[in-house]
Structures are given as C-alpha cells and as structure tokens.
Amino acid sequence: MRVEYAKHLLSSTNMPLEHLALECGFNSASTFFAAFKKLTGYSPNSFKHSENILSDS
C-alpha cells in the first residue's frame, strides 16, 4: 500500500524523494528505495523518469 501511494506521488508531484519516503510512512529514504525496488523492479528515480516519458508522449 505504501509503495502504491509512492507510485502515485512519484507520477503526480515533484516532491523530493526523501520527503516522499517520509510521507509514505518509511523511516528512511534507504528503506523506501529498497522496498520500492523489491516490489516494482525499478528504483524510484527510474520509475519517475519512465512515468514522465509516458506522460509526455
């Protein structure tokens, strides 16, 4: 659930990743990065970049 919320924020805001991690309930950015990559197969930065490319098309 937290990662789904993070995906939403990544695709709809320009919030810094450290703030986004805390907003989603993670204790640290590193914990967030690890959980996000484990569940999605992408780093948060890669996901955000791919979402921006798709929305620009």
Side-chain angles (χ1 to χ4, degrees):
M1 187 72 167
R2 292 185 292 174
V3 170
E4 289 301 317
Y5 182 47
K7 287 166 61 176
H8 167 72
L9 291 176
L10 284 167
S11 62
S12 63
T13 71
N14 288 321
M15 186 182 299
L17 292 178
E18 292 79 11
H19 294 146
L20 190 140
L22 296 174
E23 174 71 22
C24 293
F26 290 92
N27 293 327
S28 69
S30 61
T31 303
F32 165 63
F33 294 166
F36 192 93
K37 181 149 188 161
K38 182 177 181 179
L39 293 171
T40 66
Y42 298 97
S43 71
N45 280 323
S46 295
F47 180 84
K48 183 169 185 64
H49 181 70
S50 67
E51 285 294 301
N52 286 338
I53 289 172
L54 292 175
S55 66
D56 289 345
S57 298

